[in-house]
């Protein structure tokens, strides 16, 4: 972790062959199975596609989002969606290289709705501390198992520093290593991203 100026924006990274702000958790049944099959095919057939989707992915994702939502609501957060739209605080080189054609959308933090925006350090999969139950590594940190509010980001940075935005972490086996490379921002409302939303199948 490095002491650094706190970014004043958040970034949503996505596969340029698909649409932004699409969430697998919004799907069920055969539609979900079809999309997961397409994503797994992309991962196997293109070495430039670095994202991994294993058989435990959706179970871990849904449990993570459920716990995240409950903890955020306990802190007074308002959730208009069952699952959030995801961002990184500032930039993340690792995410920028995740897809063959990675694209990014930036939104100023001041344009996010405070009552519908939560923050975890690092990403919510790690922060919600369910990794061990699914056979993945977990090194407990004092900021794990906590959900922060948008206006607490400066205090987070002052207390623990921020991950190095230029960190270049290898992709091979990333899901089986401690993963502490970005602060995640979750937006539980469609309003800030409404102009980007489509009815297309989600990419991630």
């Amino acid at each position: 972790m490095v002491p650094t100026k706190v970014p004043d924006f958040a970034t949503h990274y996505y596969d340029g062959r698909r649409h932004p702000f699409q969430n697998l958790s919004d799907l069920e049944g055969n539609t979900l199975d079809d999309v997961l099959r397409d994503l797994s095919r992309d991962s196997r057939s293109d070495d430039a596609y670095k994202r991994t989707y294993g058989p435990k992915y959706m179970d871990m994702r849904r449990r993570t989002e459920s716990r995240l939502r409950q903890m955020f609501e306990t802190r007074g957060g308002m959730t208009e969606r069952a699952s959030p739209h995801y961002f990184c605080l500032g930039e993340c080189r690792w995410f920028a290289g995740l897809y063959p054609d990675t694209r990014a959308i930036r939104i100023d933090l001041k344009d996010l709705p405070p009552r519908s925006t939560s923050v975890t350090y690092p990403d919510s999969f790690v922060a919600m501390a369910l990794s061990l139950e699914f056979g993945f590594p977990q090194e407990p940190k004092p900021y794990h198992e906590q959900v922060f509010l948008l206006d607490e980001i400066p205090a987070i940075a002052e207390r623990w520093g921020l991950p190095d935005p230029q960190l270049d972490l290898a992709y091979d086996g990333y899901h089986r290593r401690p993963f502490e490379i970005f602060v995640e921002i979750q937006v539980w409302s469609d309003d800030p991203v409404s102009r980007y939303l489509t009815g297309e199948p989600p990419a991630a």
Side-chain angles (χ1 to χ4, degrees), residues 98-139:
L98 196 56
Y99 305 108
D101 179 24
T102 305
R103 300 185 186 181
I105 294 172
R106 285 190 181 189
I107 294 184
D108 289 345
L109 296 185
K110 63 180 176 56
D111 293 330
L112 298 178
R115 296 191 66 186
S116 297
T117 302
S118 56
V119 180
T120 58
Y121 193 158
D123 83 301
S124 49
F125 269 177
V126 176
M128 293 295 97
L130 296 174
S131 299
L132 292 177
E133 295 182 33
F134 287 86
F136 300 111
Q138 180 87 37
E139 295 182 0

Side-chain angles (χ1 to χ4, degrees), residues 78-89:
M78 298 181 62
T79 55
E80 300 171 14
R81 294 175 46 84
S83 57
H85 298 297
Y86 291 98
F87 295 83
C88 298
L89 175 64

Side-chain angles (χ1 to χ4, degrees), residues 12-22 39 42 46 48-49 51 53 95-105 198 200-204:
H12 173 76
Y13 292 97
Y14 66 101
D15 183 350
R17 296 171 294 184
R18 297 182 169 88
H19 290 277
F21 301 109
Q22 306 295 299
L39 294 172
D42 289 346
D46 190 341
Y49 192 102
R51 189 146 191 182
Y53 301 91
F95 254 114
L98 196 56
Y99 305 108
D101 179 24
T102 305
R103 300 185 186 181
I105 294 172
T198 75
E200 297 295 324

Side-chain angles (χ1 to χ4, degrees), residues 3-105:
T4 186
K5 180 181 178 181
V6 179
D8 59 1
F9 66 94
T11 306
H12 173 76
Y13 292 97
Y14 66 101
D15 183 350
R17 296 171 294 184
R18 297 182 169 88
H19 290 277
F21 301 109
Q22 306 295 299
N23 193 316
L24 286 169
S25 296
D26 291 334
L27 297 182
E28 299 285 350
N30 291 336
T31 303
L32 174 61
D33 293 341
D34 290 345
V35 173
L36 283 171
R37 184 167 52 249
D38 288 346
L39 294 172
S40 295
R41 182 196 61 223
D42 289 346
S43 181
R44 293 191 304 269
S45 63
D46 190 341
D47 289 340
Y49 192 102
K50 306 299 185 182
R51 189 146 191 182
T52 299
Y53 301 91
K56 302 176 183 179
Y57 178 81
M58 283 309 302
D59 186 19
M60 186 173 181
R61 184 184 186 109
R62 292 191 192 281
R63 288 185 57 190
T64 295
E65 290 178 339
S66 177
R67 187 175 190 196
L68 176 64
R69 184 174 63 254
Q70 292 171 3
M71 293 179 69
F72 181 48
E73 290 174 347
T74 297
R75 295 213 56 194
M78 298 181 62
T79 55
E80 300 171 14
R81 294 175 46 84
S83 57
H85 298 297
Y86 291 98
F87 295 83
C88 298
L89 175 64
E91 296 179 332
C92 178
R93 176 183 289 183
W94 185 88
F95 254 114
L98 196 56
Y99 305 108
D101 179 24
T102 305
R103 300 185 186 181
I105 294 172

